[in-house]
Amino acid sequence: MAVLFDGSFMRSLHAWEAEFSKPVYRDAEVEAWLFEDEPARRAAEARLAALGVRARLRSAYKPFVHFFLEGADLDGLVAARVRYPVHPAAAPNRFTLEAYPLAGMLGDASLTFEAGDESLWYDVELRYADGRLTRHRVFAPNHVAVDHLGEATLSPTGWVRVSGEGASGAVTCDERRTTDIEQLFEAAVRTVVGHDWGQSEPYFERLLLRADLAGIEREPGCGDELISTFEALHEDFYFSLLEFFQRHSGRPLGDRGLQPGQIVPDVRCADRASSHLRICTESFAHIEVEPKTDFVPLAETQAPLSARCIARALGGLEGQRFAATSREGREVLGVYRPGPGPAVLISGGQHANETSGVVGALRAAQVLQQQGVAHFAVIASENPDGYALHQALCATHPRHMHHAARYSALGDDIAYRERAPLLERAARDQAIHLSGAKLHINLHGYPAHEWTRPLSGYLPRGFELWTIPKGFFLVLRHHPGWLEAAQYLLAGVTARLALVPGLLDFNMRQIAWFRAHALADGFDTLNGIPVQFTESTREATPLSLITEFPDETIYGDAFRFAHDVQTAAVLAAVEVYRAGG
């Protein structure tokens, strides 16, 4: 183990409270924005009030949403008309996306956005059933900075505004202040960027970033939404460092073949005076958590399966067994079942934090086996190292999306692996070789709640289309010359999925919220299902049907519905593909 950084940062809430407790601020009015939850801010306000300081401490993270969560009167609200900031250093819809999930929070009240200027203020007009009309201004503190890639980004930040006559005369300020979470993030990026990593991939086995700090963890009360600065810091750590290593390796941004090693942010809630950060490299000495999962029927499972449950379900399938070995020595298990007609490959868990597809692949394989005529190969969990990391991270934060578990222990996307040893990728290659499949049904997921990177521009760079949910949808990639077959397959699959109970209502609700905040679609729909067509030779099979369910990270009935839909998608695709011959 090598420690790269170990240090603390004074908690901004405590530092600012100590500052404004001084006699000079008595009788003054203080407004401050920082990354703290409401109870902590209100407690500090009360302590300052006891000293004669009129303080209002606000959230620097999603301040417009917090305005509605913490103070706006929603009783009898009929309509909200919002004039939002438009800044040259951000996407035009950055601040309407940052206002998500307001469309869901307002219920039946209408929400209208109109573009404003770059002054970083939201102006909102609220109209009520009794005829009342109220107007409010909400400040969204941001600053423009050059990031680790040399690009200018507009990011949320701390801010302090003081006005009035204090005990010793006028005390005024209106300025940006760097908060502890910002300082901690900057120290992490600076440390990793400044380290000598050499030129040979992988650069480490595991790079662990342990952060302990105060922050926000709050449900806004609609859908599966979660507002979490802890999750946001995890995402910013992971993708910022992935971007750095892509640049360091000489690759383009977004290159999924990069093998830096396993980057593991471990962000914990700590209610104490200082935030703490420790960065170290370590060996693969196992991060392992095996949940105590009862062996319930797959159709009834309400949470991601354990590795034992996956192996047991695969063991119940008839056919030829094949396997590969992961970077950390785990087995990637598969079954090939010969049969009449064209073969299909069914897989789940390529991105290991997308867990509903694992269950859907197994359930569909069981049904196909019972039907007795299907010809398929199945790999339910293609990335067992990432899957183990996901379960370990969920032991601390079960609701977080945990994109650090998305890729393999080498740090690459296994489907994009460029060179030997193929390790996990070898299982997919075996499945295609054994079956001769020309159709790959590849079950995926994406975040069930908003995905942000607030310390490096707010929207997740390269994944902006995925920042908020937009229902269950399909991506069909096809080789040249396979367009007609792809169109036939997608038309038939979407027609059958439209009959799945509850799916169209689920999609309509999420798409309505998406459209309200994204101010655009970015996709087509077919039979009520969002779809994308792409011609590509990157896929190993001529037809590749990719499902996308917002499953990061859901439980209970929501998880059951997710794998119901994944199962239905596989069965529909097999039926249509066989019929098309």
Side-chain angles (χ1 to χ4, degrees), residues 486-567:
Q487 291 173 330
Y488 174 82
L489 178 65
L490 204 55
V493 171
T494 55
R496 286 159 176 78
L497 286 173
L499 302 177
V500 173
L503 179 56
L504 291 188
D505 288 341
F506 175 82
N507 274 3
M508 287 176 60
R509 181 175 65 254
Q510 289 208 345
I511 291 170
W513 294 355
F514 178 89
R515 286 172 174 161
H517 287 277
L519 307 182
D521 277 353
F523 51 82
D524 297 320
T525 58
L526 188 60
N527 294 313
I529 309 295
V531 296
Q532 291 181 347
F533 271 105
T534 306
E535 181 178 300
S536 171
T537 58
R538 228 216 59 78
E539 301 296 331
T541 57
L543 293 172
S544 180
L545 180 66
I546 299 168
T547 67
E548 296 285 359
F549 194 98
D551 66 352
E552 302 169 13
T553 296
I554 54 177
Y555 300 90
D557 290 341
F559 187 75
R560 288 181 62 176
F561 179 64
H563 60 75
D564 281 348
V565 174
Q566 298 276 26
T567 304

Side-chain angles (χ1 to χ4, degrees), residues 109-128:
S110 67
L111 174 63
T112 305
F113 286 111
E114 60 182 51
D117 56 29
E118 61 183 83
S119 63
L120 300 178
W121 287 85
Y122 287 93
D123 292 295
V124 56
E125 181 181 276
L126 303 179
R127 182 164 56 85
Y128 296 88

